[in-house]
Amino acid sequence: MAKYIVEQSGPLKGEVQISGAKNAVLPLMAAALLSDEACIIDDVPHLRDVSLMKEILSSLGSKIEEKGENSISICTEDIKTTELEQELVSKMRASILVMGPLLARKGRARIPLPGGCAIGARPIELHLKGFEILGAVVTKGDDYVEAVSGGQGLIGDQIYLDFPSVGATENIMMAAVLAEGTTYIENAAEEPEIVDLANFLNKMGAKIKGAGTDTIRIEGVKQLHGAKHTVIPDRIEAGTFMLAAAITRGAVHLCNVEPDHVKPIIAKLRECGVRIDVGDEDITIRGDLGPQMATDIKTLPYPGFPTDIQSPFMSYLTTVEGSSTVIETVFENRFMHVAQLGKMGASIETAGNKANIKGNSKLRGCNVIATDLRAGAALVLAGLVAEGKTEISEIYHIERGYEKFTEKFAGLGATITKVDD
C-alpha cells in the first residue's frame, strides 16, 4: 500500500492552480447519460473517483474518449443495461447519481447499495422519495435498490426535501428533465455544484430555473442533445491550500478560484488573523503577517461553512492562540481524524457533534491513518508543521479527491513524498 511521508516544511510559498471540482464533475459525467449525443467536459481532474465513474459509465454502454489533458467526450448512443455491478458501486457513493438519468431515459435503474467514505449514514431515501413522487415504483432489497417508471414514464410534481441533500437534488433534477410536465424541488441544496449541473443540463436543452436557490423549477422536455461544458473550480481543494498557507504561516497565490464559493472559509481565516486578498478568479493568502488566534466554526449546508473543510480547518486550529470550538451538523461521524491528530500531540476533546480544540499544540510526526478523504488532507496539513516525519497510510482516500496532490504541495516548498510500502 502506498503512503505519504510528510516532513516539517516551513512556510509554503508560491502559486498553485486549482483543479476542476470533484463534486461537480461526477454528476456532470452522469448527466451525459441523458443524451444519445456526445458531451464534452473540460477541466476534468485526474482522480480515482473520476476513473471509477468512467468505469461505471462504460459498463452501461458509454464510449469515453480523452480529448486532451483534462478533457473527455462521453457518448451514450445506446444504453445496454440499466443495472450496475456491485464491484464498481461499492467503491464510490456517487455511483447513485446514475439512477436519475437511467430512470429518465430508460424507465428503469437498479443498483447495489453504494459505498464511499465512512463519514456517516448518508441515506439515499431522499433520492428514492423524489423518484416515487415523480411516479416511479421503488423496490428496496437487502443489498440493492430498483426504480421503475412504468409505461407512462415520469410525471412532473412538487417535491419537498426534508434535508437539502446535494446528491438527492442532483439525482431528482436529472430524473425530472425528461419527465412530462413541471417539477418543483423545494428545500433544494444550493451548492455551486448544483448550479454547475443545471447550467450543463440547460446547455443540453433542459429548462431549469432557480438552481442556487432553495426552489428549483424543471420544465420537462422530450429529449436532450450533446453539449460542451467546463467544470467549476474545486472549492474544497482551494480551501485546503488556503489552510496550508495559513498553518505553515506562508504566502500562497491560488489561481482558477471562484471567490464567492469559498466565502465562509475566507471569513473564518480572516477572523483568525490571516490576510486574504481576493481577485476575480484568484486569491492570495498571507499567513506570515502576524499572530493568529482561535475562532469557532459550525458546519452547515451551503452557503454555510462546508463540512468538507472542517477536518483540515481543525488541524489549523491546533496551531493558533487560544481555544476553539467546532460543531459538525452535516455528518454524524466526521470526527474520525481527531484520534489521529491526538497521536500527533493535538489537544482535542469531543462530545457528540462538538469538538473543543486547545491551540498552540506542539505537533510531532508519527504514523497515522487517513480514515477518509478530508481527514487525510487534515493529517497532511498537520504533518507540514509537526516536528519530524509523519507517515500517512491509506492515502487512496486522499487521491479520490485531490489531483496531483504531492506535486502541487511540493511546488510550494512542502517536503512530501509518496512511497510504495
Side-chain angles (χ1 to χ4, degrees), residues 304-317:
F305 191 91
T307 180
D308 279 353
I309 216 72
Q310 176 257 107
S311 44
F313 207 101
M314 193 182 292
S315 289
Y316 166 66
L317 291 175

Side-chain angles (χ1 to χ4, degrees), residues 24 30 34 78 112 134 136 150 152 154 158 186 212 237 240 246 300 321 353 355 364 387 394 420:
L34 288 162
D78 182 47
L134 293 175
Q152 65 180 9
L154 299 178
Q158 189 164 324
E186 297 180 318
E237 183 191 17
T240 301
L300 290 166
E321 297 278 349
N353 70 335
R364 57 186 180 274
E387 181 179 345
E394 299 192 19
D420 291 319

